[in-house]
Amino acid sequence: MEQGQGPPPPKPPATERDIGFAERAVAAAGAAVVSAVLVNPLDVAKTRLQAQAAGVVYNPIWSDFRCYPSCSTGGINGLGPCSSCSPECFQYRGTMDVFSKVTRQEGIFRLWRGTGASLALAVPTVGIYLPSYDLLRNWIEEYSDRNCPKLRPYAPLISGSIARSLACITCCPIELARTRMQAFKESNVGGKPPGMWKTLIGVLSSRQSIKSPENVRGYHLLWTGLGAQLARDAPYSAICWTVLEPIRRHVTRLFGDQSNATVILGANFSAGFIAGVISAGATCPLDVAKTRRQIEKDPERVLSMNTRRILLEVWRKEGVEGLFRGAGPRMGRAGPSVGIVVSSYEVVKHLMHKNTSNAADL
């Protein structure tokens, strides 16, 4: 080293914004797995309530169906098809009633019906959604700081809507399969009910019964309900992040230590829980439209339905109650789900960033 030449300047410290898309996707996917398994029963309850209101009839259709003891005259000790059951046995009156009847009639594991599809949906959806949201928000905030400061407060709303739309378009076929698996009691006699792939094959096979096949372009039916899903998820995400960001920043400031994993976990879980409940409640009518769109089996009606028409139909026949059918389990699912996903994602991202920074300092 030449005399008078000082040591090389230290490298600037790594920041959270230096984390790449792949690392963010890994963190998000891991968080999504935990959430999908824990909250699936609430998703089943919400879908069953909405499907019942749409006209899906929940009658016993397999040999091991279990009636209530008061209706046991149709079978031995309450087992077997139950011709003397009252209609009440097959009507869901609320979230806890769904849990009770599904557990008694179909077995407790049916509450996790569609979990495989939920996992197949959650991992790519969240793996695309959260990293895209992070990177878009960072870019919009940097752009607004340089050019348009008034735009900065809208960064969560804009980036959340765009990121969620990308995830929805990519994963719509899996969401379609999950909704149908949770809504219907279909079962092969003596075997397991159809899984995700058979459900999607069944959707495609319905093309053959449409009078004008030219109206259906190849695999177009796998994206059935995409419009309704985008109409639900884009505003859901916009509301969620608009509520979440200020809450978690406020909670983090209260504790002061932004480098503590416990503070990050608590701030993000509480903010995510509140934001999830509010956004799920506000967008419940759009979720009702999405569910009805995706469980429709009449091929002709599939082609003619749209979100606006479904909402008007529900409003005329069922009123406000119909538009908010399943709001309880939907909000009960969204609160912990958003809290778990966002807090797990931020903690894993924090730990990965910390390890990367320590390795860079060596």
Side-chain angles (χ1 to χ4, degrees):
M1 182 181 295
E2 297 180 2
Q3 290 184 349
Q5 184 176 358
K11 290 193 292 186
T15 66
E16 180 271 335
R17 299 191 178 206
D18 296 326
I19 301 176
F21 184 91
E23 293 171 307
R24 294 175 191 267
V26 170
V33 170
V34 177
S35 174
V37 174
L38 291 179
V39 302
N40 197 79
L42 286 165
D43 209 33
V44 170
K46 182 266 298 182
T47 304
R48 288 281 179 104
L49 289 169
Q50 293 179 348
Q52 178 179 262
V56 175
V57 179
Y58 290 110
N59 287 329
I61 57 173
W62 52 73
S63 60
D64 63 345
F65 180 85
R66 294 169 175 81
C67 271
Y68 290 102
S70 60
C71 303
S72 61
T73 55
I76 301 174
N77 297 325
L79 298 178
C82 210
S83 59
S84 63
C85 281
S86 68
E88 184 180 338
C89 290
F90 315 118
Q91 291 291 316
Y92 300 130
R93 292 172 294 179
T95 304
M96 298 309 298
D97 196 42
V98 175
F99 290 162
S100 174
K101 287 176 178 173
V102 169
T103 300
R104 178 182 289 274
Q105 297 171 356
E106 305 170 47
I108 191 169
F109 292 110
R110 286 297 175 110
L111 291 174
W112 277 267
R113 173 83 169 123
T115 299
S118 293
L119 290 173
L121 174 68
V123 172
T125 298
V126 179
I128 295 169
Y129 174 41
L130 289 182
S132 298
Y133 168 78
D134 263 358
L135 297 174
L136 281 168
R137 185 202 61 208
N138 290 342
W139 181 83
I140 293 172
E141 288 179 346
E142 290 172 358
Y143 175 84
S144 62
D145 289 342
R146 292 193 306 267
N147 303 290
C148 184
K150 292 182 179 180
L151 180 63
R152 187 181 176 92
Y154 300 101
L157 185 150
I158 298 170
S159 52
S161 300
I162 296 173
R164 191 67 186 182
S165 297
L166 290 173
C168 285
I169 293 169
T170 304
C171 302
C172 185
I174 306 174
E175 170 69 18
L176 173 64
R178 182 183 69 156
T179 300
R180 289 196 168 217
M181 290 168 69
Q182 291 176 341
F184 300 117
K185 283 185 175 181
E186 291 178 356
S187 174
N188 299 323
V189 177
K192 295 181 178 179
M196 183 177 68
W197 295 115
K198 286 188 177 180
T199 300
L200 291 177
I201 290 171
V203 173
L204 289 175
S205 65
S206 67
R207 285 197 310 148
Q208 299 173 359
S209 60
I210 299 177
K211 294 180 181 178
S212 301
E214 64 271 13
N215 293 331
V216 183
R217 300 180 184 90
Y219 294 97
H220 173 76
L221 286 180
L222 293 181
W223 274 263
T224 296
L226 175 61
Q229 190 176 345
L230 287 173
R232 178 198 68 175
D233 283 7
Y236 172 90
S237 186
I239 295 170
C240 184
W241 289 110
T242 302
V243 173
L244 188 149
E245 289 289 358
I247 293 177
R248 74 172 170 185
R249 287 172 182 169
H250 177 70
V251 174
T252 303
R253 280 197 300 268
L254 287 178
F255 289 95
D257 187 1
Q258 299 186 26
S259 62
N260 187 309
T262 303
V263 172
I264 294 173
L265 177 66
N268 281 279
F269 182 82
S270 56
F273 190 97
I274 295 170
V277 170
I278 292 173
S279 53
T283 57
C284 188
L286 296 168
D287 185 61
V288 170
K290 191 272 305 182
T291 299
R292 294 203 178 197
R293 182 79 173 84
Q294 292 187 325
I295 66 172
E296 180 58 55
K297 288 192 169 185
D298 183 346
E300 298 288 345
R301 191 166 156 78
V302 165
L303 296 178
S304 64
M305 293 174 76
N306 59 51
T307 302
R308 179 177 172 275
R309 185 175 298 177
I310 295 171
L311 291 175
L312 288 174
E313 185 178 287
V314 174
W315 169 264
R316 289 169 184 155
K317 293 182 178 179
E318 305 172 49
V320 176
E321 183 181 356
L323 291 175
F324 286 88
R325 187 83 59 188
R330 174 169 162 78
M331 294 166 70
R333 173 195 182 280
S337 177
V338 175
I340 291 169
V341 168
V342 174
S343 58
S344 302
Y345 172 64
E346 292 296 333
V347 168
V348 173
K349 192 173 69 173
H350 167 74
L351 295 175
M352 293 173 69
H353 167 59
K354 189 174 181 181
N355 290 336
T356 302
S357 299
N358 292 339
D361 292 338
L362 296 177

